Amino acid sequence: MGLLSDPNRRRALTNLLTRLNTPLCVVCYLAGVAWFMGLAFEPFTLRTYMSENAMGSTMVEEKFGSGERALATGREFAAHKKKADGMPVEWLVKAMQSKGLEVFTQSFSRTLPFPDENKERYMVRGTNVYGILRAPRGPRTEALVLSAPCSPGNSNNQAVGLLLGLAQYFRGQIYWAKDIIFLVNEHDLIGMQAWLEGYHHTNTTGMSWTPLHGRAGSIQSALSLELSSDVITSLDLVLEGLNGQLPNLDLANLFYAFCQKIGVLCTIQGKLQRNDWDSTSGYNNAVQTMLLMVLKQASGRSWGDHGLFLRYHIEAATIRGVNSFRQYKTDATTVGKLLEGMYRKLNNLLERLHQSYFFYLLPSLSRFVSIGYYMPAFGLLALILLLRVSANTGGSLGLVGRWRLSADLHKSKCKAADFLNAQRIQLTQAFWANGI
Amino acid sequence: MAAYKHSAVLLLCCFALVSDRTLASKPDQNRAEPEPGPESHARKSDAISPREDDSNREPEPEPAGSVQEDPGSRWQATEALDPAEEAAGTRRRAPNDQFQEELVIRPLSSGDIYSSFQFRTRWDTDFFKPGRKVANYRLFPKSLGQVITKFSVRELHVSFTQGFWRTMQWGPPFLSAPPGAELWVWFQDTVTDVDGAWKELTNVLSGIFCASLNFIDSTNTVQPSASFKPLGVGNVTNQKFLRYAVLPREIVCTENLTPWKKLLPCGSKTGLAVLLKSEKLFHSSFHSQAVHIRPVCQNWECKSTSWELRQTLNVVFDLHTSGQSKREWSLFKMFSRTLTEACPLASSSKIYVDVTDNSQGALFELSPSTPSLSQAVVLGDRRTYSVYDLVNPDAFGAQRSLNILLRWRTADSADALRPLLHGERYVAGYGLQTGEIHTLIYNNHPYRAFPVLLLDTVPWYLRLYIHTLSVTSRARDNKPSYIHYQPSKDRLRPHLLEMLLQLPPNSVTEVTVQFERALLKWTEYTPDPNHGFYVGHSMGVSILYSILGSWSSVAMDTNVCVSVFPCKEESTYFVRVYTEPLLVNLPTPDFSMPYNVICLTCTVVAVGYGSLYNLLTRTFQVDEPSPSLAKRLANIIRRMRGVPLL
């Protein structure tokens, strides 16, 4: 502890900091940026792994097989949506009831501060429809959510169809330990927010909604499904939520594990994982993926319907089907199997997802950078501020200055020594008195 | 204070009502049973369960007679069998214990099917006669008899339930039970240390039923002031001798079923109990098993009591998960067994199938069909049952095996009858600091208001802000006429809140109270703290008016009433409504953190304490620059001379 008690060395350090302030700042800056960029370099990152034992392996026999029927249901839904010009509430209620769910609706309205993009109106009204699959012999204390937005136009019909198909299939299974809520929300985020506020009986946005009549306890996890074509080429995972919140990393791991198992191409930030990490383009890809994630988090907005769940401590993600010009196509049955596997694993959860990281960056789905690795880069950048402050206060921080005083005590040598010794004795006594 | 007194008076009135009605209409009430005469003995042998029993009822003529007088009647009352039994009863000396078994099957409108078993053992004995130890057990299980004797139990009710009864889909249950384990016990008024006896009793029961009842301690035991009355004889209602506890987390499985089955006189070898196979019973939507012990009157005068043990098991099978496309149910499909004989020890063994909605066979087809029908008023609703009497060998037909088959004629499910009362509960809010418990009680009756006694127990780690308690119905304040609140003590006892509410007709009453989540000590967390902590259900007790109430006196033929369940011509009946339990997350430390914490604290201690210690123990001295050679020499000379140094 020479720094605190040896005035000479202290002074030397201070002088050094003052003299080399600018170069030090530059070095810190460069080191910070280099560190950050290094994070995307594959050999420096860690491979993702499933922390939660309850979801340990993907040993599930997926049996969902009615993808075609689900798509037909989706088309039927589209027709009714067109007819109703919005959410076909009655049809949906009937469809869910026929699958053996307990069905409830919630209507909501919100006055917007600016006109709506599509219809240029200030008042948005809508209805959410949700059906609850009651777990056999479940006490209604835990639930999982699968949601699909009822989007305007021709998009997302397949998602609703698949949701209904899964509901029918899930209803026939005996192994559910948690209730499953199948939710079709209107007006994307507004509907989702209304439903979440209704479910938790809070009101943070001044929206008006009718109270919910069916609940299923505390929601453990949620997935939002967006699917706009009958076949897809890849599935994109969206994690960034409101205010840059992220779900537990295990949810991303689960998705990745099942994509690997079933053989579905999966992307994050719309970017496919590449194997050529040692080439420049491979590295660029990883950097772009990671920076996109940082930017999306910094924007603070929710990048999918799942983002609103995170405030309620519910781990959630959006799975978005992408149909590009790739050769390799995946049909709805396979996507259904993927979701079946994920829900069966989530159903096994004994505790909320908490084992893995909540703060992380993903340069690809199989690699992650935990907070412990990206904080040093941030720390180096933050150190510059500290250095600049010390330079601007005459080369001495507050603390440094005080100890320089003790260095100046050479002038009144004996007095100072006596004073310090007296202080020491007093301090010691004080500590003993306080029982330290 | 004035207001309080006022409410106390109201409360007393209400109690009078509740206790009166309870005694009169509770299924299990058995106040004075006509016994000694051969007539009433016969009647009893036919009765199944909690019998009705109003003390003010006149001994009635044998119903069989009245039915037989009218040959055109299609109701062949089951009492018609009675004369034979009666004769048998008079010939040999009737044993002082008897056993009856029954199974009630109710097809539910959703396509599901509800099976309710009830095994009833009665023993005319006195466990507490001074100087005489009861040692000779025949039908009554010895393990329970010893428990009654040792702990001076007057009444014991324990239920184990896996699942939540879906009132909105299935209608009201015969006997409601909350998810998890529920135990309530009345002790004899001779017990001095009730808490000690309760503690020991829970541990013993835990062993008997292979359940976690030993986790019942003072933190989850309450003494409700008004919600429970003894169901057996006796008027002592001093709440000092009542203990009530719920374990919402208890998971019920085969290890609880096996000891329960072992209490039956025939075990699971013969009789209805052969159907109780765990691989099927736990392949269902709802499973609830219970044991009720209480003293009942031995005879009309009620001079001496006998002990009644009722073991009930309720199970609902789900249509969708049964893996069938056809809508049909049979005993084999439900239980993977058929029936071949009744329990030889049983004095009565019957199966009832609810055919109320199936008057012309329009809804479903029942085979083999049975000519004997009986009617009963169950939970305020008149039901008709097809009866299969297993004591009669004809019931098994030529194949010597009975497999009741129920085939639905329609493919779509009908709308269920909305229950008059039902409750819901949830936690509102987000974050880990505060929250709000909402309890909703629905009264679906179109024009009648009901009083409901609401019982809430909340563990101490949710600190209720009782000043935020609000009761609203139809957006208006609904002032409870009676409130009993016992605040919690940290780590000692839970909150207890009892309220008497008047539910307006066709309304939802919402009870809300805010709470703060306590930070537990680190050893108090469960092994899976991130799962959350369970908060028990809340329970509503109410007296409902039967929908038959207005016209029953005109239309009911009391003589054909068979008491499947309390055969009451009353216009009111008694129900308990349970809400679901809650799962609440408490602020939980990251338990994988200790390593990090140790590292951090060690660093802080090393840096902080080390430097401080360094400062405190160091002596500061003036640092003399080393003197020159001349000076040193001069000093040597000066020291020798004895003059002060330079």
Side-chain angles (χ1 to χ4, degrees):
Chain A
M1 285 294 100
L3 270 183
L4 280 173
S5 51
D6 186 345
N8 289 332
R9 271 190 273 175
R10 173 126 229 130
R11 186 165 46 180
L13 183 74
T14 321
N15 286 342
L16 191 75
L17 282 182
T18 323
R19 208 170 55 239
L20 296 177
N21 196 287
T22 312
L24 274 177
C25 286
V26 172
V27 167
C28 279
Y29 189 81
L30 290 178
V33 172
W35 186 295
F36 192 75
M37 287 311 189
L39 293 177
F41 190 53
E42 198 173 304
F44 293 165
T45 56
L46 290 175
R47 182 171 280 281
T48 52
Y49 57 93
M50 196 83 86
S51 291
E52 176 61 63
N53 272 329
M55 303 196 304
S57 72
T58 51
M59 274 212 309
V60 172
E61 195 188 339
E62 296 88 0
K63 287 184 177 165
F64 177 74
S66 47
E68 285 309 311
R69 207 157 87 201
L71 290 179
T73 318
R75 281 189 283 276
E76 204 179 328
F77 169 76
H80 282 92
K81 187 166 88 175
K82 209 167 189 179
K83 206 157 64 185
D85 191 26
M87 178 83 109
V89 178
E90 271 176 43
W91 180 83
L92 209 53
V93 167
K94 221 166 259 169
M96 282 189 178
Q97 264 166 355
S98 71
K99 312 244 182 301
L101 305 183
E102 281 179 35
V103 191
F104 306 92
T105 58
Q106 181 206 27
S107 45
F108 58 90
S109 64
R110 174 78 171 100
T111 317
L112 299 180
F114 45 83
D116 182 8
E117 286 169 11
N118 305 322
K119 302 196 173 159
E120 304 225 333
R121 58 196 169 165
Y122 284 92
M123 179 69 132
V124 172
R125 284 173 204 284
T127 311
N128 294 324
V129 180
Y130 65 104
I132 304 179
L133 189 167
R134 296 292 181 193
R137 299 188 313 288
R140 296 195 178 177
T141 49
E142 294 171 278
L144 303 172
V145 173
L146 175 61
S147 77
C150 168
S151 314
N154 235 348
S155 56
N156 257 339
N157 300 328
Q158 284 81 356
V160 177
L162 191 56
L163 176 127
L164 292 173
L166 281 173
Q168 179 163 27
Y169 173 72
F170 284 0
R171 181 67 179 84
Q173 308 307 314
I174 193 75
Y175 44 66
W176 299 113
K178 302 177 182 13
D179 291 1
I180 301 180
I181 303 176
F182 295 92
L183 166 68
V184 181
N185 54 313
E186 202 175 358
H187 300 304
D188 299 338
L189 287 172
I190 299 178
M192 188 55 94
Q193 180 68 21
W195 189 79
L196 280 169
E197 285 187 358
Y199 196 92
H200 295 98
H201 209 283
T202 56
N203 203 333
T204 48
T205 54
M207 197 182 291
S208 57
W209 34 259
T210 56
L212 304 188
H213 289 292
R215 283 187 176 75
S218 77
I219 301 175
Q220 306 287 308
S221 190
L223 287 181
S224 177
L225 183 66
E226 291 177 21
L227 207 62
S228 298
S229 55
D230 288 1
V231 288
I232 54 154
T233 50
S234 63
L235 285 175
D236 189 40
L237 182 69
V238 187
L239 296 170
E240 300 83 6
L242 198 64
N243 298 328
Q245 273 184 298
L246 295 173
N248 196 283
L249 182 60
D250 268 342
L251 198 63
N253 294 341
L254 184 70
F255 172 75
Y256 180 64
F258 272 97
C259 284
Q260 293 292 98
K261 184 191 172 195
I262 295 181
V264 181
L265 281 182
C266 53
T267 59
I268 186 156
Q269 321 299 349
K271 292 194 180 295
L272 209 59
Q273 180 168 4
R274 294 170 57 148
N275 294 324
D276 52 341
W277 57 267
D278 42 356
S279 72
T280 321
S281 62
Y283 174 72
N284 276 342
N285 190 47
V287 169
Q288 279 174 19
T289 315
M290 195 175 75
L291 284 179
L292 270 173
M293 184 161 183
V294 173
L295 285 177
K296 280 186 180 176
Q297 277 184 267
S299 79
R301 59 169 274 215
S302 171
W303 289 79
D305 282 353
H306 72 280
L308 302 173
F309 280 94
L310 299 173
R311 173 203 290 265
Y312 298 93
H313 191 19
I314 299 166
E315 308 312 317
T318 295
I319 295 176
R320 194 171 282 159
V322 179
N323 194 14
S324 63
F325 301 105
R326 234 178 268 278
Q327 287 294 312
Y328 184 74
K329 302 276 185 194
T330 307
D331 60 352
T333 309
T334 318
V335 180
K337 279 184 177 167
L338 179 107
L339 287 169
E340 182 199 349
M342 287 183 74
Y343 272 88
R344 285 192 65 176
K345 279 293 160 190
L346 290 172
N347 178 52
N348 287 353
L349 279 184
L350 298 175
E351 305 182 59
R352 274 170 192 280
L353 286 175
H354 69 284
Q355 296 276 11
S356 196
Y357 296 90
F358 283 96
F359 299 94
Y360 53 86
L361 296 175
L362 293 174
S364 73
L365 262 175
S366 65
R367 297 269 162 180
F368 78 103
V369 179
S370 78
I371 185 169
Y373 287 85
Y374 69 70
M375 278 313 273
F378 175 74
L380 282 170
L381 295 180
L383 190 62
I384 297 171
L385 302 178
L386 215 61
L387 287 173
R388 296 311 296 174
V389 168
S390 70
N392 290 340
T393 50
S396 63
L397 290 168
L399 193 71
V400 178
R402 192 131 45 84
W403 286 100
R404 278 190 69 186
L405 261 182
S406 71
D408 295 339
L409 284 178
H410 274 292
K411 289 170 189 166
S412 49
K413 294 169 188 173
C414 304
K415 248 203 261 173
D418 286 349
F419 171 77
L420 277 176
N421 281 331
Q423 286 292 310
R424 174 176 64 86
I425 291 159
Q426 272 186 4
L427 259 175
T428 320
Q429 282 170 348
F431 274 113
W432 281 117
N434 287 329
I436 292 175
Chain B
M1 266 294 103
Y4 182 73
K5 270 183 192 159
H6 175 66
S7 62
V9 171
L10 275 180
L11 161 77
L12 285 180
C13 302
C14 160
F15 276 1
L17 173 84
V18 169
S19 55
D20 236 337
R21 292 311 185 194
T22 314
L23 290 179
S25 61
K26 180 67 196 171
D28 330 67
Q29 181 48 31
N30 206 340
R31 199 153 191 180
E33 219 166 335
E35 160 70 21
E39 282 185 1
S40 47
H41 169 72
R43 212 182 60 115
K44 180 158 72 157
S45 69
D46 186 72
I48 308 152
S49 36
R51 304 266 286 176
E52 80 277 79
D53 36 51
D54 2 330
S55 36
N56 53 1
R57 181 161 152 189
E58 294 298 317
E60 53 194 56
E62 200 40 47
S66 64
V67 174
Q68 281 164 351
E69 275 169 20
D70 176 14
S73 162
R74 85 173 270 231
W75 303 112
Q76 188 201 342
T78 44
E79 277 82 351
L81 290 166
D82 287 343
E85 277 185 23
E86 193 182 309
T90 46
R91 240 179 279 122
R92 58 181 153 77
R93 193 181 151 273
N96 64 352
D97 53 355
Q98 57 165 318
F99 172 68
Q100 296 165 343
E101 53 179 15
E102 72 181 43
L103 162 64
V104 182
I105 297 173
R106 190 210 281 173
L108 301 170
S109 54
S110 56
D112 302 344
I113 197 154
Y114 173 28
S115 302
S116 174
F117 290 87
Q118 178 157 289
F119 303 92
R120 181 169 178 249
T121 312
R122 253 189 81 146
W123 191 13
D124 306 340
T125 188
D126 186 1
F127 285 115
F128 304 111
K129 196 179 259 178
R132 191 182 73 99
K133 209 172 158 204
V134 178
N136 190 13
Y137 289 82
R138 204 176 79 100
L139 297 177
F140 201 90
K142 191 173 179 184
S143 55
L144 289 181
Q146 286 175 333
V147 165
I148 295 171
T149 322
K150 177 148 193 329
F151 300 105
S152 302
V153 171
R154 201 172 75 190
E155 265 185 37
L156 186 151
H157 303 270
V158 58
S159 74
F160 301 97
T161 307
Q162 182 76 349
F164 185 75
W165 183 267
R166 305 172 195 169
T167 324
M168 291 306 277
Q169 279 179 303
W170 297 338
F174 293 136
L175 267 178
S176 47
E182 183 193 44
L183 174 67
W184 55 287
V185 174
W186 284 91
F187 290 95
Q188 300 282 350
D189 44 14
T190 52
V191 179
T192 47
D193 178 17
V194 180
D195 285 318
W198 168 250
K199 181 81 200 142
E200 261 185 82
L201 175 68
T202 52
N203 280 286
V204 169
L205 288 177
S206 167
I208 291 179
F209 293 107
C210 212
S212 320
L213 294 175
N214 53 330
F215 282 95
I216 293 176
D217 55 11
S218 70
T219 60
N220 48 21
T221 302
V222 289
Q223 294 177 52
S225 69
S227 301
F228 289 93
K229 299 278 163 214
L231 299 181
V233 286
N235 293 322
V236 186
T237 53
N238 189 344
Q239 308 295 326
K240 219 170 69 182
F241 300 106
L242 169 69
R243 289 294 180 277
Y244 175 72
V246 182
L247 296 174
R249 203 176 182 173
E250 181 71 12
I251 289 168
V252 184
C253 202
T254 44
E255 77 268 22
N256 307 109
L257 181 68
T258 312
W260 183 90
K261 280 198 289 197
K262 280 188 181 157
L263 299 175
L264 297 171
C266 289
S268 51
K269 302 284 191 298
T270 62
L272 291 177
V274 295
L275 301 178
L276 303 174
K277 291 293 169 206
S278 48
E279 81 266 17
K280 280 297 189 183
L281 287 185
F282 293 104
H283 197 287
S284 58
S285 297
F286 177 81
H287 173 94
S288 172
Q289 61 189 63
V291 168
H292 301 277
I293 301 174
R294 59 177 186 147
V296 294
C297 277
Q298 226 171 57
N299 51 34
W300 183 256
E301 289 88 21
C302 201
K303 287 222 175 77
S304 51
T305 57
S306 54
W307 285 86
E308 184 201 64
L309 162 71
R310 279 197 301 141
Q311 289 180 254
T312 60
L313 188 143
N314 295 299
V315 61
V316 177
F317 293 101
D318 188 64
L319 184 75
H320 287 84
T321 53
S322 60
Q324 56 177 2
S325 46
K326 275 181 291 181
R327 282 163 67 94
E328 64 173 39
W329 288 104
S330 65
L331 284 186
F332 187 77
K333 198 163 240 164
M334 286 190 272
F335 304 105
S336 74
R337 292 286 186 289
T338 56
L339 284 173
T340 50
E341 60 177 332
C343 169
L345 298 173
S347 58
S348 132
S349 175
K350 288 191 173 124
I351 298 181
Y352 296 81
V353 181
D354 191 333
V355 291
T356 314
D357 306 323
N358 192 30
S359 50
Q360 302 301 319
L363 213 56
F364 55 82
E365 179 192 331
L366 190 64
S367 72
S369 59
T370 171
S372 68
L373 291 169
S374 71
Q375 280 199 338
V377 176
V378 180
L379 299 172
D381 192 10
R382 181 156 41 163
R383 315 295 293 179
T384 310
Y385 293 93
S386 286
V387 186
Y388 298 82
D389 189 354
L390 305 185
V391 177
N392 182 2
D394 296 342
F396 298 101
Q399 289 100 34
R400 312 290 313 139
S401 134
L402 177 65
N403 182 23
I404 296 170
L405 180 78
L406 206 146
R407 188 179 288 123
W408 288 85
R409 290 194 198 278
T410 51
D412 50 332
S413 48
D415 279 341
L417 195 70
R418 292 189 85 189
L420 288 183
L421 269 192
H422 92 274
E424 251 179 48
R425 201 179 196 203
Y426 62 93
V427 181
Y430 58 88
L432 289 177
Q433 198 190 352
T434 56
E436 196 169 39
I437 296 180
H438 287 238
T439 310
L440 305 176
I441 310 162
Y442 293 79
N443 176 7
N444 292 329
H445 200 286
Y447 54 87
R448 260 189 212 278
F450 296 119
V452 162
L453 200 54
L454 192 74
L455 168 75
D456 246 328
T457 55
V458 178
W460 64 266
Y461 41 76
L462 299 191
R463 306 217 160 100
L464 293 187
Y465 294 157
I466 203 69
H467 69 278
T468 61
L469 179 73
S470 81
V471 184
T472 50
S473 28
R474 295 176 168 167
R476 233 177 297 147
D477 225 23
N478 184 348
K479 199 167 160 30
S481 43
Y482 163 67
I483 295 187
H484 170 73
Y485 175 63
Q486 188 192 38
S488 73
K489 281 187 187 159
D490 277 7
R491 298 172 179 87
L492 278 182
R493 69 172 190 213
H495 302 267
L496 170 67
L497 178 63
E498 283 178 287
M499 279 185 293
L500 183 64
L501 301 173
Q502 189 75 16
L503 307 183
N506 202 10
S507 70
V508 188
T509 304
E510 187 166 20
V511 181
T512 61
V513 61
Q514 290 176 11
F515 64 85
E516 186 187 78
R517 300 164 207 238
L519 190 61
L520 302 185
K521 290 181 181 166
W522 70 282
T523 46
E524 288 169 342
Y525 286 95
T526 49
D528 51 352
N530 285 289
H531 179 65
F533 288 78
Y534 283 89
V535 176
H537 57 84
S538 67
M539 183 184 76
V541 185
S542 182
I543 309 294
L544 294 187
Y545 298 95
S546 161
I547 39 175
L548 305 172
S550 48
W551 51 274
S552 65
S553 52
V554 189
M556 292 290 279
D557 178 0
T558 53
N559 289 340
V560 273
C561 169
V562 165
S563 40
V564 181
F565 288 92
C567 171
K568 298 298 300 179
E569 305 312 322
E570 292 282 330
S571 58
T572 58
Y573 61 104
F574 173 87
V575 289
R576 280 185 206 284
V577 177
Y578 290 100
T579 67
E580 51 267 75
L582 301 175
L583 189 61
V584 179
N585 276 84
L586 295 186
T588 309
D590 183 355
F591 286 103
S592 64
M593 218 47 183
Y595 170 73
N596 303 358
V597 172
I598 289 167
C599 292
L600 192 72
T601 15
C602 288
T603 318
V604 168
V605 166
V607 173
Y609 178 75
S611 54
L612 200 62
Y613 183 76
N614 192 345
L615 272 179
L616 292 178
T617 51
R618 178 168 296 195
T619 16
F620 287 89
Q621 283 183 340
V622 179
D623 191 13
E624 294 285 344
S626 67
S628 61
L629 187 67
K631 208 174 193 176
R632 258 189 277 175
L633 282 175
N635 272 342
I636 291 170
I637 295 165
R638 275 172 167 251
R639 197 172 286 144
M640 281 159 56
R641 283 173 56 203
V643 286
L645 304 179
L646 278 176

